[in-house]
Structures are given as structure tokens and as C-alpha cells.
């Protein structure tokens, strides 16, 4: 149940960011839900492999290279999903940063609701 709520929250954030960010397009709610599912799968499967392979450069950049990995995950999701489009690397980087911040805020409200 918690996973479903998180996916729906992420889909809503994707829709919201696509509305406000130029260069990001989502064809509808169904596409946003698919984007949320694909991003969850890519973050669970591909991202750990990329993080391990890029440990030296991540250490040299004090962790800032993880932003590049997140942008690559967004661009990879763009290639897999027809109803989702990102114009370029810098747009994907901005989208991934805003998505991460928005998810952190939304998930913190979800945790506060559990405590009460």
C-alpha cells in the first residue's frame, strides 16, 4: 500500500514538474504513472550499478557526480517511455533535482501522517 501511495505521489510530482518546466513533457496521467514505475525500477536496478562503477569520480567530486547519474536515469526513462520527453541533459538534471526535493518533502508528510 505504501509503495502504491509513493508511486502516485511521484506521478503527481512528475505531472506538476512537466507543467512548469519547459523541456519536459508528459502526455497524461497514465504516462506519469508509467514514468513513476519506470523510474522506481531504474533506481532499483540500474542506479546501484552506475554508482558502483563511478565510485572514484563520485569521491573526487564529493558526491556531486550522483546528480549526473540521476540525470542519466531520467534520460534513460525518456528513451523507454513514449509519453514522456525531456529535451536535454541540463533539463534532465534540473528535473531530477526538483523531483528529488519534491519527493523528499512529500514523503516526509507521509511519514508524519503515520506517526499520528
Amino acid at each position: 500500500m505504501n509503495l502504491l501511495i509513493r508511486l502516485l505521489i511521484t506521478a503527481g510530482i512528475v505531472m506538476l514538474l512537466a507543467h512548469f518546466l519547459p523541456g519536459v513533457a508528459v502526455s497524461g496521467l497514465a504516462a506519469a504513472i508509467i514514468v513513476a514505475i519506470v523510474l522506481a525500477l531504474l533506481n532499483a536496478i540500474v542506479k546501484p550499478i552506475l554508482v558502483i562503477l563511478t565510485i572514484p569520480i563520485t569521491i573526487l567530486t564529493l558526491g556531486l557526480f550522483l546528480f549526473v547519474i540521476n540525470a542519466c536515469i531520467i534520460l534513460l526513462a525518456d528513451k523507454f517511455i513514449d509519453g514522456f520527453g525531456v529535451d536535454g541533459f541540463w533539463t534532465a538534471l534540473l528535473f531530477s533535482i526538483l523531483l528529488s526535493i519534491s519527493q523528499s518533502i512529500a514523503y516526509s508528510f507521509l511519514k508524519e501522517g503515520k506517526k499520528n
Side-chain angles (χ1 to χ4, degrees), residues 6-25:
R6 286 179 177 256
L7 286 175
L8 290 175
I9 288 172
T10 302
I13 294 170
V14 166
M15 290 281 296
L16 190 67
L17 288 175
H19 180 72
F20 287 111
L21 274 178
V24 179

Side-chain angles (χ1 to χ4, degrees), residues 22-102:
V24 179
V26 177
S27 62
L29 182 62
I33 292 172
I34 293 171
V35 168
I37 293 169
V38 168
L39 283 178
L41 289 173
L42 288 174
N43 281 330
I45 298 169
V46 177
K47 188 175 178 179
I49 296 169
L50 290 177
V51 169
I52 290 172
L53 291 175
T54 60
I55 285 176
I57 194 165
T58 303
I59 291 171
L60 284 175
T61 61
L62 302 174
L64 292 176
F65 192 74
L66 293 174
F67 289 124
V68 174
I69 293 174
N70 286 339
C72 290
I73 295 292
I74 298 292
L75 290 172
L76 195 58
D78 174 25
K79 299 296 181 197
F80 287 142
I81 304 165
D82 288 333
F84 177 62
V86 179
D87 282 346
F89 174 77
W90 295 108
T91 306
L93 183 66
L94 180 62
F95 180 80
S96 72
I97 291 169
L98 292 175
L99 182 65
S100 296
I101 292 169
S102 302

